[in-house]
Amino acid sequence: MGFGFGRGRGCFLVVAVLMGFLVTTGRCLRFELPSGHTKCIAEEIKLNSMSVGKYSVVDPNEGNHPLPDTHKLTVRVTSPYGSSVHYADHVDSGNFAFTSTEAGDYMSCFWAPEHNPSTTITVEFEWKTGVAAKDWSNVAKKGQIDAMELELKKLEDTVKSIHDEMFYLREREEEMQELNRTTNSRMAWLSFLSLFICLSVAGLQLWHLKTFFERKKLL
C-alpha cells in the first residue's frame, strides 16, 4: 500500500509540473547592451495576471566593489497602453512586481547611457508571469501546510490559470474572426470600387475616341 501511494503521489507531482509548464510563462536570459543603446523585451500578459521580474548588471571583474558609472542602467516597464508600471534610473540591479490591469504586450526596456570610450554591459534578466510568478515558499510558511497540500494548491491555481487562459484564447479567437470578417468585407467593397473605376475609365476612353474620330470625320 505504501508503494502504491508513493507511486500515485509521484504521478500526481509529474502531472502538476507538466500542467504548470503549459500555463506559466518565464523568461531568464542574458544579453549585451552597448552604451547609448536601448533593448526592449515584450511579454504578452493577460488581464489580472501576476508578473515579477528582476535584473542585474554582470560585474565584468567579478569583484565585490561597486560597479562603475559606465555599468549603470535606466529601466522602464510599460503596459500595452503606455502606462509606466516600473521605472529605475542609474541602477545596476532591481526588481519589479505588479498585477496587470491591461491585457496585451508589456514592454521592458533597458537603456545604457552613452560613454566615451564606448562600453558593453552584460545584463541578466528574469521575467515570470502567471503561476510561475507566485512565491510558493511564502505561501507554505503563511498557511503552515505540508508538501502534499502545497502541491494541491499549486495544482488548483494551475487549473484556474488553464481555465482563464482558455477563455482568453477564445476571446482572442473571436476578435481575430471579427477582424477577418471586417477585412474581407472591406476588400470586397474595394474590389467592387476598383472594378467600377476601371469600367468608368474604359467607358470614358471609348467615348473620347469616338468623339475624336467623329470630329476628324473618320467615322
Side-chain angles (χ1 to χ4, degrees), residues 33-53:
L33 181 63
S35 59
H37 289 73
T38 301
K39 182 176 181 63
C40 293
I41 300 170
E43 183 73 40
E44 184 178 4
I45 303 176
K46 60 180 181 290
L47 188 65
N48 296 326
S49 180
M50 182 182 294
S51 181
V52 297

Side-chain angles (χ1 to χ4, degrees), residues 98-162:
F98 62 89
T99 300
S100 60
T101 57
E102 303 167 9
D105 290 333
Y106 282 72
M107 196 78 68
S108 296
C109 292
F110 301 82
W111 178 72
E114 185 150 6
H115 294 281
N116 191 12
S118 179
T119 58
T120 299
I121 302 173
T122 302
V123 182
E124 287 186 346
F125 179 48
E126 184 178 9
W127 197 355
K128 296 180 180 180
T129 62
V131 178
K134 290 189 176 182
D135 189 353
W136 293 105
S137 59
N138 285 336
V139 172
K141 291 177 182 178
K142 291 178 181 179
Q144 295 181 351
I145 55 181
D146 60 20
M148 191 65 175
E149 290 174 330
L150 179 61
E151 294 301 329
L152 285 172
K153 184 166 181 60
K154 287 183 181 180
L155 184 58
E156 180 185 4
D157 285 355
T158 300
V159 172
K160 289 180 180 178
S161 181
I162 292 176

